[in-house]
Amino acid sequence: MSSLGFLLSFVAILACTIAAGLIAKRSVRRSSDFSNAGGSLSAGMVAGALVGGFVGGTSIVGTGELAFRHGLAAVWFTLGGGVAVILLGLCAGRFLRLQVETLPELIGTQYGGRAQLGASLFLSLGMFIQVIAQLLAALPFVSVFWKAPLPLLALIPAALIFAYVLAGGFMGASIVGTLKTVMLILLLLGTGAWLWGQLGGETIVRWWQQGRLSLVVPEAGLGWVQGAAMIVGIFSTQAYLQPIFASRSEREARSGSVAAGLVIILIGLVSAWIGLYMHDTHPELAPREAVPMFFLTHAPSWLAGAAYAVILLSVVMTGAALALSIATILNRDVIQRYTARFRSEESRLRLSRALILGVIAVAYALVCLDENALILHWAFLAMTLRGVTIFFPVLFYLFHISPVERRWAVLAVWGAPLLALAWAWWLLPTTGIDPLYVSGLWSAAALLAGRMTARKTPSLRPMG
């Protein structure tokens, strides 16, 4: 773990990606370059930004951990995410024609300013919780070769987020994401080929007989519902729509999204394969150590160092995409609405960078205060907040279910996440019903009520 080859390859990979992010800074001259790359991303950069934003600790380490425990059903996170990213690409034309940079801006266009403010606040809160989760997920990859107090360990991924995104904004995130995607594909294709050579047909047959290749494990809460939940979450997360808004054209967005979706699914499959393999060869391991220990025990030290750097980069890039999205939403959809102090290009760019720094700093402080936080609990709550806030409002827009009376739309956007929070804190332990179902039903019912009310009011014209 601390060999010279490991450290050299680890540092070399990180140095290359930091250099790419800093080079991208030269392309940032306006606030639009920072927040959405000025609408200049090619298909390859769209794919890189999507993979960079999605593939983090949960996609690789979390999938390997679940596969170690429960088998192939662990792929639902990346399978659902990959399908959702492809669907985003298929809907790219409608998003681009709307000419918005953020999801709350879309909500505001359709349902008014109060709904937009609620979407801005609750989406930002949900993504902020995920930033904390990514910082915590990065800690094992730093501590594996450097034992230090928690504040120093947590400072490394926080500083990497600063270097990758604060320097170059979305352009930097896209360039680094593209580089990371190439490295991930090379690493995991090589890993998959090696595993294929190690495993015989009898191993696959044994896994099948043991039920470890089943996609449904009810006792672990893994099945089709989890895939559907990922689609809801992806469509409700600014970080995954931002590459669509930043693309050169609908064609570039569609091609990049399809490529990214396939890569995400591939990454999940190989990560699950590693978990299955490590369960057979090292059953004594803690499940969360399956992927890290695979590279430490079955790869040369230089390759292990490169793998750790790429996976750490994946964790950091997910946090970076979320931090950038929070800053973009707060800048455009909250601060710009209530003050004219930051209307110039230079001041808007400074504000975006200051917001990112503030998000990272607060997340870092919370990690230092409690490294043993219930990350999975908060991560699921974050996904629920994002999904119930705007999934159905966006769905109503995409399927032309309009007009919707705006007071009911406000009840949907504000009421659903507030109900989700209250349900998670007070009623979930006694009812056992996930807040996603209750608050999602509230959102859909409120919007349908608003649609019925609007149809009875001739003066309400259809939304554009």
Side-chain angles (χ1 to χ4, degrees), residues 12-264:
I13 293 293
L14 293 185
C16 288
T17 52
I18 289 173
L22 293 176
I23 290 172
K25 185 179 180 181
R26 299 178 181 178
S27 302
V28 178
R29 296 180 177 87
R30 299 170 299 170
S31 61
S32 60
D33 295 330
F34 189 83
S35 63
N36 74 347
S40 63
L41 297 190
S42 64
M45 294 178 73
V46 169
L50 284 168
V51 175
F54 182 87
V55 178
T58 305
S59 302
I60 300 175
V61 181
T63 299
E65 176 186 14
L66 274 181
F68 189 98
R69 290 178 180 267
H70 304 294
L72 192 62
V75 301
W76 277 115
F77 185 85
T78 49
L79 180 59
V83 171
V85 166
I86 292 173
L87 291 176
L88 280 182
L90 298 180
C91 298
R94 289 198 58 80
F95 287 118
L96 289 173
R97 283 192 290 273
L98 196 61
Q99 295 295 308
V100 299
E101 287 188 22
T102 69
L103 283 171
E105 190 177 353
L106 183 154
I107 297 299
T109 300
Q110 302 301 307
Y111 306 111
R114 288 185 296 170
Q116 179 175 350
L117 178 61
S120 300
L121 296 177
F122 287 114
L123 286 184
S124 296
L125 176 60
M127 288 187 289
F128 175 74
I129 294 170
Q130 287 295 100
V131 174
I132 297 173
Q134 292 303 318
L135 286 178
L136 285 164
L139 296 180
F141 293 96
V142 179
S143 62
V144 73
F145 63 94
W146 183 40
K147 303 300 180 183
L150 175 63
L152 288 179
L153 292 179
L155 188 60
I156 292 178
L160 288 173
I161 293 176
F162 176 89
Y164 295 156
V165 183
L166 195 61
F170 199 80
M171 180 66 76
S174 304
I175 292 175
V176 174
T178 303
L179 179 60
K180 187 203 80 173
T181 299
V182 172
M183 291 188 292
L184 265 178
I185 292 174
L186 293 175
L187 173 66
L188 293 176
L189 282 180
T191 300
W194 184 87
L195 283 170
W196 183 262
Q198 296 296 309
L199 300 175
E202 67 280 0
T203 302
I204 305 297
V205 171
R206 176 166 51 81
W207 285 347
W208 179 267
Q209 293 172 342
Q210 293 172 346
R212 293 184 60 76
L213 298 185
S214 173
L215 290 177
V216 179
V217 183
E219 61 271 19
L222 296 172
W224 299 96
V225 175
Q226 280 62 49
M230 287 304 302
I231 294 177
V232 172
I234 295 298
F235 266 83
S236 306
T237 303
Q238 172 72 22
Y240 308 130
L241 270 175
Q242 204 148 340
I244 304 297
F245 295 142
S247 62
R248 292 175 184 169
S249 65
E250 179 181 346
R251 180 179 179 182
E252 299 285 348
R254 184 182 300 112
S255 300
S257 298
V258 171
L262 295 175
V263 169
I264 288 169

Side-chain angles (χ1 to χ4, degrees), residues 6-15 17 141 145 160 164 180 183-184 187 302-316:
F6 182 99
L7 293 175
L8 287 178
S9 61
F10 184 92
V11 172
I13 293 293
L14 293 185
T17 52
F141 293 96
F145 63 94
L160 288 173
Y164 295 156
K180 187 203 80 173
M183 291 188 292
L184 265 178
L187 173 66
W302 64 269
L303 181 58
Y308 266 64
V310 173
I311 295 173
L312 174 62
L313 180 61
S314 300
V315 174
V316 170

Side-chain angles (χ1 to χ4, degrees), residues 284-458:
E284 75 285 354
L285 285 177
R288 66 179 177 274
E289 297 176 353
V291 173
M293 290 304 297
F294 171 82
F295 288 104
L296 290 179
T297 56
H298 296 284
S301 61
W302 64 269
L303 181 58
Y308 266 64
V310 173
I311 295 173
L312 174 62
L313 180 61
S314 300
V315 174
V316 170
M317 281 297 298
T318 301
L322 293 167
L324 177 61
S325 295
I326 294 170
T328 302
I329 288 174
L330 294 179
N331 189 350
R332 289 183 56 86
D333 300 323
V334 179
I335 296 175
Q336 298 293 338
R337 291 184 60 196
Y338 296 104
T339 179
R341 293 181 57 189
F342 304 100
R343 295 295 170 86
S344 70
E345 287 291 336
E346 183 179 355
S347 61
R348 290 174 64 185
L349 183 57
R350 284 200 307 267
L351 177 60
S352 292
R353 288 172 168 156
L355 286 170
I356 287 179
L357 183 59
V359 167
I360 297 170
V362 174
Y364 167 79
L366 293 176
V367 168
C368 292
L369 288 173
D370 186 10
E371 63 176 310
N372 297 313
L374 298 175
I375 298 305
L376 285 180
H377 170 76
W378 288 108
F380 283 124
L381 181 59
M383 185 65 73
T384 297
L385 283 176
R386 297 200 297 267
V388 302
T389 299
I390 65 168
F391 177 72
F392 280 111
V394 170
L395 202 65
F396 270 53
Y397 161 73
L398 291 176
F399 287 92
H400 304 285
I401 305 175
S402 62
V404 174
E405 211 281 326
R406 289 189 170 187
R407 288 176 297 176
W408 287 100
V410 171
L411 280 176
V413 171
W414 282 86
L418 288 174
L419 177 59
L421 288 170
W423 193 277
W425 285 334
W426 290 310
L427 297 176
L428 176 60
T430 57
T431 65
I433 300 174
D434 194 286
L436 176 65
Y437 299 118
V438 180
S439 52
L441 180 61
W442 171 284
S443 177
L447 290 170
L448 287 173
R451 169 67 175 140
M452 294 175 62
T453 302
R455 293 182 65 179
K456 296 178 181 178
T457 309

